Amino acid sequence: MRKLLALSMAVLISMYSFAQFVHAEEDDPVLTSEAAVLMDTQSGAILFGKNEEKRMYPASLTKIATAIYAIESANLNDQVVVSEKIKEIEGTRVYLNPGERVTLKKLIQGMLINSGNDAALTIAIHLDGTMENYSQSINEYLENEIGVKNTHFVNPHGLFDENHYTTAKDLALILNYAMKNEDFREIFGTKELKWEGESWNTQIFSHHRMLKGEIPYEGVTGGKTGFVDQSKQTLATTAENGRMQLTAVLLKSEFKREIYKDTIKLFDYGFASYKSAQIKKGETFTSGELEFKAGKDLFVTEPIENGKRVVDDDGVLNIESENGRTIQSVELKPLIEKKPEVKKTTQEPKQSGLLSANAIIGAFLAAVAILWIMNRKQKKNRRFRSR
């Protein structure tokens, strides 16, 4: 009887576990890529993650960081002299010649659209002189300006180095930040470009199959591919559907066709489940008797159906799904700012002019009395000595 009961319980537990597993598969995308993240481009809310904080090798997705760093650090019209060091570069090129003069914008275009490693190296040398200086500068920039925590780059192109790493989450943060820049958005979304150089006159094309339409997907706004043996296939893509903008980053897929399938799964999931909303500066929220306000204009991500906005007593606005999962948390400000308490100090009351005069007269009379007493004593002593 006990054995039968134990067997029945085991079967029930197995059935329950299977049901939970199937439920998770139905709700979330199932991906072949080793790491992935889906973010709302405007709010930064993470809508899906798989090993999103695991350190990985990004390959040419590095060039996204190089591009926004260059755009914000220098003038796009700068005339850049191509360094002799490009002779040593490996991989994809735009066939620059040492000594050739090229604008910084054209180098960024060649780097992002055609993934030119020679263009990336030229940019880094132009900005910082050496790879050591470049590595220090871009890592400081990414940490201080964007807030990444698990990224360390030693080169501008992503050719393999064991000390050159990032995460899917950090790459999405970098791309979200870059997409706020008009110049970056234009280049990142370019499908083809006429290229005229000293050694190469041609038409360069984006390598991203969804961006240039080889794999149709409505709403794709930009993309970058990457590959080295150690990182396998890597892919970054942005898209929009009128309700929201999405950023998808996928790392380490064995096959190119699979990483595009994974990207489509993420976009389908995001667009079917969520929408963007804007909270205006000064908009108010309550938690019991407490009132809070938005300190600035904010983008938030909400479920398309049955989403909730819940404010706690600390003034944190939580955007929740129907089942209570927190999608995003935003800090609000108290509606009435508390004034800093001023400590009262006890001060001696100031004396009026009359009191001061009375004090002087009193002191004068006291002095006269003392002098009169001393004078009496002296007279008395003289009479005593004369006897």
Side-chain angles (χ1 to χ4, degrees):
M1 184 67 181
R2 288 182 179 177
K3 288 183 179 180
L4 180 61
L5 181 60
L7 181 61
S8 299
M9 288 296 294
V11 170
L12 285 172
I13 291 170
S14 298
M15 289 174 64
Y16 176 77
S17 300
F18 178 74
Q20 292 290 93
F21 182 70
V22 170
H23 179 72
E25 282 190 338
E26 289 175 350
D27 284 349
D28 295 334
V30 179
L31 309 178
T32 59
S33 302
E34 188 169 319
V37 72
L38 178 69
M39 277 191 187
D40 184 320
T41 311
Q42 294 170 294
S43 75
I46 297 178
L47 308 179
F48 176 85
K50 175 184 178 182
N51 296 325
E52 67 270 24
E53 296 192 33
K54 182 179 179 180
R55 287 185 177 180
M56 309 284 284
Y57 301 124
S60 282
L61 301 194
T62 302
K63 292 165 183 166
I64 295 169
T66 302
I68 189 60
Y69 170 60
I71 290 169
E72 293 199 343
S73 301
N75 190 317
L76 291 178
N77 295 319
D78 284 351
Q79 291 289 325
V80 181
V81 178
V82 179
S83 169
E84 291 282 339
K85 293 185 178 180
I86 63 159
K87 294 178 179 178
E88 307 166 7
I89 203 70
E90 302 173 357
T92 312
R93 307 167 65 97
V94 286
Y95 300 100
L96 298 170
N97 286 337
E100 182 177 355
R101 298 179 69 87
V102 189
T103 65
L104 180 60
K105 181 174 182 178
K106 186 173 180 179
L107 289 170
I108 295 170
Q109 290 171 323
M111 175 182 68
L112 280 184
I113 300 168
N114 199 60
S115 205
N117 293 336
D118 50 353
L121 182 59
T122 301
I123 291 169
I125 293 172
H126 172 69
L127 295 177
D128 293 300
T130 66
M131 284 301 95
E132 291 76 13
N133 291 341
Y134 168 82
S135 176
Q136 180 177 346
S137 296
I138 194 169
N139 288 322
E140 289 176 357
Y141 167 83
L142 294 174
E143 182 177 356
N144 298 332
E145 297 298 323
I146 303 177
V148 301
K149 302 296 183 185
N150 294 298
T151 294
H152 184 264
F153 288 157
V154 298
N155 64 57
H157 37 64
L159 291 174
F160 177 72
D161 186 300
E162 62 181 7
N163 294 314
H164 187 94
Y165 56 80
T166 186
T167 67
K169 179 181 176 181
D170 276 5
L171 277 175
L173 288 172
I174 294 167
L175 182 49
N176 280 1
Y177 178 88
M179 288 295 287
K180 293 177 173 62
N181 184 284
E182 185 178 349
D183 293 314
F184 178 89
R185 285 200 311 273
E186 174 201 335
I187 300 171
F188 192 65
T190 300
K191 301 175 184 179
E192 60 180 285
L193 180 74
K194 185 177 181 180
W195 184 271
E196 294 181 352
E198 286 187 359
S199 63
W200 205 36
N201 292 330
T202 187
Q203 195 84 358
I204 60 174
F205 296 88
S206 170
H207 297 177
H208 196 292
R209 293 181 177 181
M210 292 171 70
L211 179 61
K212 59 185 179 180
E214 291 180 1
I215 299 176
Y217 194 90
E218 187 175 355
V220 171
T221 57
K224 183 74 191 77
T225 63
F227 178 84
V228 292
D229 289 339
Q230 295 83 355
S231 69
K232 305 301 181 184
Q233 299 291 335
T234 64
L235 194 67
T237 317
T238 56
E240 61 185 23
N241 70 342
R243 283 198 306 261
M244 72 184 312
Q245 300 172 24
L246 291 177
T247 296
V249 173
L250 296 105
L251 301 176
K252 202 169 187 179
S253 177
E254 290 290 335
F255 303 103
K256 189 175 290 187
R257 64 178 179 274
E258 294 300 328
I259 204 167
Y260 283 105
K261 287 180 181 178
D262 284 351
T263 299
I264 291 171
K265 287 180 183 179
L266 287 180
F267 283 153
D268 285 347
Y269 167 77
F271 287 137
S273 305
Y274 301 100
K275 63 181 179 179
S276 284
Q278 193 170 18
I279 296 174
K280 294 291 186 180
K281 180 180 179 180
E283 188 173 338
T284 58
F285 301 84
T286 59
S287 174
E289 296 181 356
L290 301 174
E291 291 185 293
F292 302 92
K293 64 180 179 179
K296 59 182 179 179
D297 290 342
L298 298 167
F299 280 101
V300 294
T301 309
E302 299 180 319
I304 291 177
E305 296 180 356
N306 303 321
K308 295 180 291 183
R309 295 181 176 184
V310 181
V311 181
D312 65 22
D313 290 347
D314 294 323
V316 177
L317 170 64
N318 294 301
I319 311 297
E320 297 181 356
S321 63
E322 185 179 14
N323 62 11
R325 184 174 76 87
T326 299
I327 300 165
Q328 186 180 6
S329 297
V330 177
E331 290 188 6
L332 304 173
K333 292 185 175 182
L335 186 60
I336 301 175
E337 298 285 352
K338 291 183 179 180
K339 294 181 179 179
E341 295 183 2
V342 179
K343 292 184 178 180
K344 294 182 179 180
T345 55
T346 305
Q347 296 181 347
E348 294 293 330
K350 292 183 179 180
Q351 294 182 332
S352 67
L354 180 60
L355 286 175
S356 299
N358 289 339
I360 293 171
I361 293 170
F364 173 75
L365 291 175
V368 170
I370 292 170
L371 289 173
W372 183 80
I373 292 170
M374 291 175 64
N375 188 45
R376 288 288 304 267
K377 284 185 177 181
Q378 287 176 354
K379 288 181 178 180
K380 189 175 182 180
N381 288 339
R382 283 199 297 272
R383 286 199 300 272
F384 180 78
R385 283 197 297 272
S386 63
R387 289 181 180 177

